[in-house]
Amino acid sequence: MSFLEALFEALSAGGTEALTYVAAHALTGQNLYLHNTLTKELEPFRPLGKKVLMYNCGPTVYDFATIGNLRSYIFADTLRRTLDIFGYEVKQVINITDFGHLTSDADEGEDKMTKGLRREGLELTMQNMHTLAGRYMEAFLRDIEAIGVNTKTITFPRASDYIPQQIALIERLEKKGFAYQTESGVYFDTAQFPEYGKLGSINLSGQQAGMRVEASGKKNPQDFVLWKPDAKLGWESPWGMGFPGWHTECVAMIFALLGEHIDIHTGGIDHIPVHHNNEIAQAEAAAGGQFVQYWMHNEFITIDQNRVGKSQGNAIVLQEVKDKGLDPRALRYWYLTGHYRTPMNFTWEALEGAATALKRLQQAYTSLPKGEIDHKFLESFFEAIGNDLDTPKALALIWENIKVLNQTTLAEADKVLGLGLADRKVKPSDIPVEIKKLAEERESARMAKDFARSDELRKKIEEAGYEVKDTDSGPKLSKK
Ligand code: AMP
Ligand code: ZN
């Protein structure tokens, strides 16, 4: 839809959401299209109301976040920055899973928090779980801040602070006939929700075949736990002591903090088949209507084609990036070189390449003049971003135009990229060693009155994008 068509529609509709939409156009001159996992299509973004309500599935804080997990939050952050710059007011929530459910999302395997406690030689108690989670939550916040996420604009609820809301949600489902109790817990009855699995990526007939249906007393293999009893640990509830199910936590916090119908929900692709299908089932069974308008998912980071993850034993964390002397924002730059819906294979060489590119960009930024905003450039830049966050294209546009851009325009583009270009000063020491060497050679040639050679070297320096000026205090190098 063109800007004029949008304006016309807004005027005839007269609603605040339409006006918000037009305001967004006015800022960037572009439409925002997002890929929706629910429809598998690129759709023009239209918020439900005046504020965009966005929820990003957050970490289980039992260990440090991996470079796989961090991609999820850079994707969410790029989306947030895009919404901001397109003129929307955004309410953003990232949950913190801070207690075990003593069951994984597939109702099998060991709970992550329990694993974390054992790793650190701590006894399995509620207090220890809370303390361990607190420690890794802080580490998580530090990590995402280091890669350019502004945590002050996001709400980070801890799941353990929302137990009454989770219990209330389960009771609501029970009253509506969507839940049943067995000896092993309270379950969501997926047979009562005909649209179950509509987000896709789920094989209903063969799903978890042979899973412990008999043992749990579940009616259908895909039924999932809403309340898991535990004799020793957890919270009191109408179904005895225990823990709410993991899928329940997200819905209860969304209802409490954002409302029953929200605009955007994100996560990694691994969450599509079970976790997010289960969130939809609970939310839509409880509240009716469409729970989320736009479901968005990022692809995996892999190493040697294996997904990066703790259980895969190939987890790299941000501290390792720092230990190698690399700028954490280089990781952000590297993520941005791939589209969020494309898998990316991590190598240290690739990250080093990103660090070099980022350094060049910082140097270029420092040497550029300030000036008027280049609207033509920003139009094509935001067209790329508005096309489902095409960051690789947006970065390519910057490099293609770097010689003619000014600082003001680049700072505007960086509001979406989050590379912190305007936050840092590039010192003269950031001029590459090769260039400094050329300048020294030129100076020696000049002193020796070999002007042909010194001109040749000046040319080389200029071709590399730098210039050398002879001043009273000696030659001065700068970026062109
Ligand atoms: P978790 O703490 O396991 O719930 O994961 C936090 C977020 O990271 C979720 O949105 C996951 O889907 C995502 N995630 C986990 N592993 C990867 C990976 N290798 N690449 C990209 N995203 C991932
Ligand atoms: Zn979730």
Side-chain angles (χ1 to χ4, degrees):
M1 184 186 294
S2 74
F3 175 68
L4 279 180
E5 281 167 331
L7 181 65
F8 179 73
E9 199 182 281
L11 290 176
S12 39
T16 47
E17 64 272 24
L19 287 174
T20 317
Y21 177 63
V22 169
H25 277 70
L27 285 181
T28 63
Q30 294 299 333
N31 290 308
L32 176 57
Y33 292 93
L34 300 175
H35 181 269
N36 193 346
T37 311
L38 193 62
T39 57
K40 298 187 179 50
E41 279 181 28
L42 211 59
E43 295 176 9
F45 178 66
R46 300 301 184 86
L48 286 167
K50 216 166 158 238
K51 270 192 190 168
V52 175
L53 306 173
M54 172 159 83
Y55 184 86
N56 317 111
C57 267
T60 306
V61 281
Y62 73 113
D63 205 338
F64 295 108
T66 69
I67 56 162
N69 303 140
L70 293 176
R71 183 188 205 183
S72 273
Y73 306 108
I74 288 306
F75 154 55
D77 190 55
T78 309
L79 180 55
R80 165 66 193 260
R81 286 165 174 274
T82 300
L83 291 164
D84 283 344
I85 207 156
F86 272 67
Y88 296 107
E89 209 181 313
V90 184
K91 208 168 162 195
Q92 183 182 2
V93 173
I94 300 181
N95 68 299
I96 302 289
T97 300
D98 67 343
F99 61 83
H101 304 90
L102 306 184
T103 169
S104 75
D105 62 348
D107 293 353
E108 58 192 11
E110 193 187 20
D111 158 61
K112 286 180 185 167
M113 291 303 295
T114 312
K115 213 165 153 179
L117 286 171
R118 185 147 32 74
R119 186 192 59 232
E120 312 218 344
L122 294 167
E123 207 190 320
L124 181 58
T125 65
M126 293 304 280
Q127 183 53 48
N128 283 347
M129 215 183 259
H130 197 263
T131 311
L132 181 86
R135 196 164 349 121
Y136 286 110
M137 173 177 174
E138 271 172 33
F140 170 72
L141 296 178
R142 270 200 308 274
D143 280 356
I144 59 173
E145 269 165 16
I147 52 175
V149 176
N150 181 2
T151 55
K152 289 187 188 67
T153 61
I154 307 169
T155 307
F156 294 94
R158 284 181 72 149
S160 63
D161 291 332
Y162 289 80
I163 302 299
Q165 289 86 343
Q166 296 176 67
I167 292 175
L169 174 64
I170 302 167
E171 284 181 315
R172 200 167 160 192
L173 290 168
E174 225 177 17
K175 273 201 197 97
K176 286 191 151 188
F178 287 101
Y180 62 90
Q181 195 169 2
T182 76
E183 269 188 17
S184 67
V186 180
Y187 291 91
F188 184 93
D189 190 351
T190 51
Q192 301 302 316
F193 186 72
E195 289 183 290
Y196 183 74
K198 68 177 171 182
L199 198 56
S201 302
I202 191 166
N203 174 1
L204 286 178
S205 55
Q207 194 205 27
Q208 299 154 18
M211 220 187 63
R212 291 171 274 161
V213 179
E214 298 80 21
S216 64
K218 289 202 300 192
K219 293 186 194 168
N220 317 289
Q222 63 270 22
D223 290 355
F224 54 91
V225 76
L226 297 169
W227 188 266
K228 189 85 186 157
D230 191 287
K232 294 194 210 89
L233 294 172
W235 290 271
E236 278 305 333
S237 82
W239 316 279
M241 182 124 117
F243 294 85
W246 175 42
H247 317 297
T248 308
E249 154 192 333
C250 284
V251 177
M253 288 194 281
I254 292 174
F255 280 14
L257 295 165
L258 296 172
E260 295 178 346
H261 304 97
I262 67 166
D263 294 291
I264 303 174
H265 192 315
T266 74
I269 50 156
D270 53 323
H271 284 345
I272 304 172
V274 181
H275 183 47
H276 288 166
N277 272 315
N278 290 355
E279 277 193 40
I280 293 176
Q282 290 171 92
E284 297 189 359
Q290 191 172 328
F291 174 40
V292 172
Q293 299 300 311
Y294 300 84
W295 282 96
M296 297 178 71
H297 295 94
N298 65 278
E299 259 287 356
F300 282 149
I301 300 296
T302 59
I303 292 180
D304 297 332
Q305 313 315 321
N306 294 311
R307 170 189 169 183
V308 171
K310 288 266 144 52
S311 49
Q312 268 71 19
N314 61 0
I316 292 175
V317 298
L318 193 64
Q319 189 57 45
E320 287 169 69
V321 171
K322 291 191 210 157
D323 289 347
K324 287 196 190 265
L326 295 167
D327 181 346
R329 298 254 185 161
L331 185 63
R332 184 177 188 115
Y333 186 101
W334 179 67
Y335 291 137
L336 298 178
T337 62
H339 188 266
Y340 76 89
R341 285 195 290 119
T342 309
M344 288 181 88
N345 196 52
F346 177 85
T347 60
W348 286 107
E349 292 72 36
L351 188 60
E352 276 152 22
T356 307
L358 176 60
K359 217 172 212 161
R360 286 216 183 105
L361 190 58
Q362 287 162 347
Q363 285 163 350
Y365 176 83
T366 316
S367 63
L368 289 174
K370 293 205 168 60
E372 298 275 298
I373 286 209
D374 180 342
H375 290 286
K376 201 158 173 288
F377 170 79
L378 284 183
E379 223 167 82
S380 45
F381 180 85
F382 287 124
E383 189 183 352
I385 292 294
N387 181 20
D388 196 29
L389 317 181
D390 192 345
T391 53
K393 171 115 186 259
L395 278 176
L397 280 168
I398 287 183
W399 286 115
E400 278 162 29
N401 292 282
I402 196 79
K403 293 226 167 91
V404 293
L405 284 177
N406 58 38
Q407 259 188 17
T408 324
T409 307
L410 201 48
E412 207 57 26
D414 194 39
K415 284 184 183 164
V416 169
L417 301 177
L419 297 170
L421 296 179
D423 309 345
R424 59 185 81 213
K425 303 262 172 293
V426 177
K427 301 176 288 299
S429 60
D430 286 335
I431 289 174
V433 204
E434 322 82 84
I435 306 294
K436 281 193 202 154
K437 272 207 184 123
L438 288 176
E440 279 160 21
E441 264 182 60
R442 175 185 167 269
E443 190 53 11
S444 314
R446 224 164 59 90
M447 290 299 164
K449 303 213 180 319
D450 182 354
F451 297 115
R453 174 82 184 134
S454 89
D455 281 351
E456 195 185 309
L457 286 160
R458 174 196 286 277
K459 226 171 141 205
K460 267 196 179 170
I461 293 169
E462 287 177 351
E463 276 164 8
Y466 295 83
E467 63 187 353
V468 60
K469 279 201 185 100
D470 297 312
T471 69
D472 293 344
S473 54
K476 283 264 172 316
L477 258 177
S478 62
K479 186 96 177 69
K480 267 211 282 195

